[in-house]
Amino acid sequence: MDVLSTYHEQAPACMLSGALAHLAQHMENGCPRSAYLAVMLLEQIAADPRADRHLRQHSQQLAEILERDPIHTVTSDIGPGTHRSPRVQQSISRKCA
């Protein structure tokens, strides 16, 4: 099974679970990578037509807030596509399976 296609098949609730876990990690210790991953997942939720309209709006709003966080800008040079690493996908899949 292709890991990248599996990534896109995750339910919005499952992605939200992962986003909240990364957000908690970022809030607890200021980890910029966790903020980056939370934003990535929140943006996926915001773009997912299966998600409730309010969930999409609030996900986008929170992603924008996190992107303005000065700690998050440290990871802004992370290349596109790195958020789709198999390790992140496996972590999400295990939590939501």
Side-chain angles (χ1 to χ4, degrees):
M1 181 185 305
D2 183 13
V3 173
L4 294 179
S5 65
T6 304
Y7 172 81
H8 291 290
E9 295 170 6
Q10 295 294 325
C14 188
M15 288 189 287
L16 182 59
S17 174
L20 291 175
H22 287 299
L23 180 59
Q25 184 72 23
H26 171 66
M27 292 175 70
E28 186 173 307
N29 62 21
C31 176
R33 178 77 176 161
S34 292
Y36 174 81
L37 293 171
V39 168
M40 181 273 309
L41 289 168
L42 290 165
E43 287 176 343
Q44 288 290 322
I45 296 166
D48 193 331
R50 298 173 298 170
D52 173 82
R53 180 176 59 89
H54 290 102
L55 178 59
R56 289 194 314 267
Q57 287 176 329
H58 292 300
S59 294
Q60 185 63 44
Q61 181 183 23
L62 183 54
E64 290 169 2
I65 290 168
L66 282 169
E67 286 179 330
R68 290 192 304 259
D69 185 344
I71 293 174
H72 180 258
T73 58
V74 173
T75 60
S76 62
D77 63 342
I78 295 173
T82 57
H83 60 277
R84 295 182 179 168
S85 73
R87 198 167 111 207
V88 171
Q89 175 55 37
Q90 289 170 356
S91 172
I92 294 169
S93 296
R94 269 188 253 121
K95 290 179 182 178
C96 298

